Amino acid sequence: MTTSQRLPERAARHCHNVVNPLHSVVYFSPDLHREFAELGIEDRPAVNLASRSAAFGRVGAGPVAAAFYNYKYELVARHIPAVWDIASPEDAIAARLRACDTTLRRLLGDDALASPEMAEAARLALRATEGCTRGGRPLYSAHADLAVPDAPHLAFWYAATLLREHRGDGHVMALVQAGLDPVEALVSHGATGRGMTQKWLLATRGWNEEELEAGRDRLRERGLLDAEGELTEAGIALREELEDATDRLDAAPYEHLGAAGVERLTELATAFTTAAAAAGAFPADLLGKG
């Protein structure tokens, strides 16, 4: 990439921050739970784990816990691989895609899904995924083996999935390098105000209050949290270093797309994400320090 083509600082991160929510809407959608209930899977943690790990096929809890990183192993093992005795991974993949279709139709409307802007967003996001790499990226690589859906809104969602998992796999690399275990990663992110609230951590990740507090104690011992659970200067610096490292590991797809493409994809995704959020895509208490 020449100097004239170089992406503005943090442009890739900004693009990710508005593309990723278009993927994430499905996890908070009643449509996903309805689809999985029809398969015979009704437990909410089981739905969450099965919907995201189905691309691995029928594997045990170990690979899923390793790739997801911040989920408690015992929670994963409670449902994986037993859930595949109820429905196949292929059925789960199809159910998640159906849920994505109905969710986006409900949140954005049929006109938006059929718009030239949606088709353009899909083309740009898919072009960005051409720059993704498989090495050391299990969740990205598993999803990259799936077929690209035909409908533009589903193609955009699929591309958003690949970009999300590519960045997420890189973020796990950065967390390991920084020496943050799964609980420490969760509570330090929560202390930034940009992570999940305690309520949602307890509901989705399998850790209990004592385990989360023990993680905070370990961070206090390292000088990363203060007595009130707020990030210290060192903690703020570490979290920013983590994001910078993740940016470096995730640069390739956005460099492949180029500065103009990244700017346009960010513009389009911002409009769709804003509309989805306004339509109630996410719980009001999902993020924050609470």
Side-chain angles (χ1 to χ4, degrees):
M1 178 177 292
T2 66
T3 302
S4 62
Q5 296 171 316
R6 193 174 301 279
L7 296 179
E9 185 178 7
R10 296 183 178 174
R13 189 190 303 184
H14 294 156
C15 189
H16 163 79
N17 286 343
V18 291
V19 170
N20 177 50
L22 265 296
H23 163 83
S24 301
V25 294
V26 73
Y27 297 119
F28 304 96
S29 172
D31 303 10
L32 182 70
H33 295 275
R34 184 182 64 252
E35 288 286 352
F36 273 74
E38 291 179 2
L39 297 178
I41 303 170
E42 298 189 33
D43 184 273
R44 294 186 74 86
V47 172
N48 183 21
L49 290 164
S51 65
R52 189 173 173 217
S53 72
F56 282 142
R58 189 185 175 97
V59 301
V64 175
F68 283 23
Y69 194 69
N70 59 28
Y71 285 67
K72 189 174 182 179
Y73 173 80
E74 287 77 8
L75 173 66
V76 179
R78 193 178 307 151
H79 301 290
I80 303 293
V83 70
W84 305 131
D85 292 332
I86 302 171
S88 70
E90 292 77 14
D91 287 342
I93 290 168
R96 185 166 80 152
L97 194 61
R98 290 193 300 271
C100 172
D101 179 42
T102 55
T103 299
L104 291 177
R105 289 187 185 282
R106 175 167 45 80
L107 294 173
L108 299 179
D110 290 342
D111 289 345
L113 269 54
S115 68
E117 289 79 11
M118 181 63 75
E120 183 183 6
R123 289 194 299 271
L124 290 169
L126 287 169
R127 189 184 309 158
T129 67
E130 295 171 358
C132 293
T133 56
R134 288 181 180 268
R137 301 181 193 270
L139 274 166
Y140 161 75
S141 192
H143 285 88
D145 283 345
L146 304 179
V148 180
D150 292 329
H153 66 289
L154 296 180
F156 183 29
W157 177 83
Y158 173 72
T161 302
L162 296 188
L163 293 171
R164 168 201 171 93
E165 301 297 12
H166 188 270
R167 184 176 181 88
D169 287 335
H171 190 60
V172 169
M173 298 179 200
L175 290 170
V176 172
Q177 179 66 34
L180 290 179
D181 68 28
V183 174
E184 294 163 359
L186 286 171
V187 297
S188 64
H189 190 209
T192 68
R194 299 187 296 271
M196 280 187 173
T197 60
Q198 177 104 340
K199 169 189 171 180
W200 282 92
L201 291 183
L202 293 170
T204 63
R205 296 305 190 259
W207 308 101
N208 60 39
E209 291 185 5
E210 292 76 17
E211 289 165 327
L212 295 178
E213 189 57 34
R216 293 187 184 94
D217 287 341
R218 293 193 296 275
L219 293 174
R220 292 185 183 103
E221 291 172 2
R222 293 174 59 179
L224 301 174
L225 284 185
D226 64 19
E228 286 71 41
E230 298 291 332
L231 289 169
T232 62
E233 288 187 9
I236 292 170
L238 178 60
R239 288 301 319 185
E240 192 51 48
E241 288 168 10
L242 281 167
E243 293 304 321
D244 288 342
T246 304
D247 287 346
R248 291 191 293 273
L249 291 165
D250 192 40
Y254 302 96
E255 290 176 350
H256 179 78
L257 182 57
V262 169
E263 181 180 9
R264 179 59 174 159
L265 178 57
T266 302
E267 178 185 6
L268 292 167
T270 296
F272 291 131
T273 291
T274 300
F282 304 102
D285 59 355
L286 178 62
L287 303 179
K289 294 184 180 182

